[in-house]
Amino acid sequence: MMSLVRKARTVDNQRAALLLSVRSGVDQFDAVTPREMASHERIQLELNRLADPFDRDADPVHLTGSAIVVGSWGTVLHLHKRIGIWMQPGGHLEPGEAPWDAALRETREETGLPVRHPEGGHRLVHLDAHPAGAHFHLDLRYLLLSDDVEPSPPPEESQHVRWFSFPEALELADEALVDGLNRVAAHGLSGGLAGIQVTER
């Protein structure tokens, strides 16, 4: 019995530490545009309200993790199978999973790309709060780096996955992603993230 109690306390402590890390990242995010500011405020409010923001079954409002993938070929989008718009890869969290780990896992699953976090660890580069069917997503977007290889999604995922230049991506992307792409294009690459230089293909 005591071992079960200790295990439950350990899980609770890990979840509390994870929530603290997520909240810290969100608090430090410098929202600029009206959509970013509204999303930032909503996510902060929900992180204080929700008993378990990581669990998609605990509340219709919950965290999700997605990625803005960057390489010398530009950025990667996929055509969402259900809603038919070009989006960044990402999705729901698995039990006990951090949103930055979900972004990594989902991107590998949806694109087949060998993505990785930048040196120094995960980096929150954008966020957005939006309805998603019966759910409401508090989406945290992390920068992921990729080698110059073509996407190879598995058969069960959307086969419409490709690299775009940032101008191309901005023309096609869902409006919820535009601010994030602008942010990475304007500040991320020019800031020398992993030494990446965008090249024409």
Side-chain angles (χ1 to χ4, degrees), residues 12-122:
D12 287 344
N13 289 340
Q14 290 171 340
R15 185 168 296 176
L18 178 57
L19 181 56
L20 185 64
S21 180
V22 168
R23 184 179 282 123
S24 175
V26 170
D27 288 345
Q28 292 174 39
F29 181 79
D30 182 24
V32 175
T33 69
R35 182 170 184 130
E36 286 178 343
M37 289 187 284
S39 293
H40 188 238
E41 181 179 4
R42 178 66 186 270
I43 293 172
Q44 287 178 311
L45 289 171
E46 294 295 355
L47 288 177
N48 289 325
R49 179 187 71 85
L50 293 167
D52 187 355
F54 305 103
D55 187 353
R56 65 186 292 185
D57 297 320
D59 194 284
V61 181
H62 44 261
L63 289 168
T64 52
S66 63
I68 297 181
V69 178
V70 173
S72 68
W73 289 353
T75 189
V76 172
L77 302 177
H78 72 116
L79 188 64
H80 196 283
K81 287 173 67 174
R82 183 170 53 82
I83 58 180
I85 58 176
W86 289 96
M87 300 177 61
Q88 78 284 2
H92 288 104
L93 280 57
E94 298 289 347
E97 189 175 42
W100 49 86
D101 290 330
L104 192 70
R105 174 184 53 77
E106 288 278 354
T107 300
R108 288 172 174 168
E109 290 175 358
E110 292 177 351
T111 70
L113 289 170
V115 292
R116 62 194 183 279
H117 290 292
E119 283 187 35
H122 62 270

Side-chain angles (χ1 to χ4, degrees), residues 70-75 146-150 162-168 189 195-201:
V70 173
S72 68
W73 289 353
T75 189
S146 176
D147 298 331
D148 298 340
V149 294
E150 294 292 348
R162 60 171 288 239
W163 288 96
F164 293 90
S165 69
F166 277 91
E168 289 174 328
L189 294 174
I196 288 175
Q197 299 296 320
V198 175
T199 58
E200 295 295 328
R201 295 185 60 198

Side-chain angles (χ1 to χ4, degrees), residues 114-132:
V115 292
R116 62 194 183 279
H117 290 292
E119 283 187 35
H122 62 270
R123 187 174 303 184
L124 180 67
V125 291
H126 193 236
L127 47 74
D128 193 74
H130 56 262

